[in-house]
Amino acid sequence: AFDLVSNYDEAIKEKVDRDESMIDLMADRVNNYLIQISAHITSGNHIEILNHYYTAIGEFEHLGDKATNICEIAQFMDREKIVFTEQAMTELNVLRELLTTVLDYTDLTFRKCNVDAARHIEPLEEVVDAPYFGQHIPLHNQLHEQLL
């Protein structure tokens, strides 16, 4: 979706929309499955794991929603011939790199149950969540160097 901000392409927007629909469908099905098996789970440890899965599913669904929102903004910008300043594009590119790194660590965490990868996510997320992200670009560069 980020690519659409600088180079709008309706085909890519449609793919993001299809992906978001698939994410929603999968999230619904996984949540239904978790609800079904939760009745059979009695161990506190397993209940905690189940709760983490609920949270993770919600986060993945939220990512899909955000991608759709970015697409809608990019479509509007393209239609109205609105462009970001060079500074704004620089900040968006840093944000994109940061989010890509978070997603890579998330993927590694889930696919390989890699606890070390999981530890890298929160410090990067704090940078993304900072009130004035643009002021944290040097901090991101420092974190990026430390984590890679």
Side-chain angles (χ1 to χ4, degrees), residues 100-142:
T100 299
T101 302
V102 168
L103 291 173
D104 288 345
Y105 281 130
T106 302
D107 181 60
L108 186 58
T109 299
F110 274 93
R111 288 184 192 270
K112 305 285 184 179
C113 295
N114 186 320
V115 175
D116 290 329
R119 289 187 184 116
H120 292 292
I121 296 169
E122 188 172 346
L124 294 172
E125 183 183 349
E126 288 177 13
V127 174
V128 172
D129 291 342
Y132 299 101
F133 175 76
Q135 295 176 356
H136 295 281
I137 290 175
L139 175 61
H140 164 261
N141 291 339
Q142 180 183 5

Side-chain angles (χ1 to χ4, degrees), residues 42-90:
T42 57
S43 165
N45 186 38
H46 290 134
I47 291 170
E48 185 177 341
I49 291 169
L50 192 66
N51 288 335
H52 285 294
Y53 281 132
Y54 276 122
T55 301
I57 291 163
E59 293 296 328
F60 285 121
E61 192 171 13
H62 189 69
L63 285 171
D65 293 341
K66 293 298 181 187
T68 298
N69 293 344
I70 292 169
C71 287
E72 290 170 357
I73 291 167
Q75 184 180 42
F76 174 80
M77 290 176 66
D78 183 65
R79 184 176 58 245
E80 300 296 322
K81 306 296 184 224
I82 298 170
V83 295
F84 284 121
T85 64
E86 186 176 327
Q87 175 65 30
M89 286 306 297
T90 298

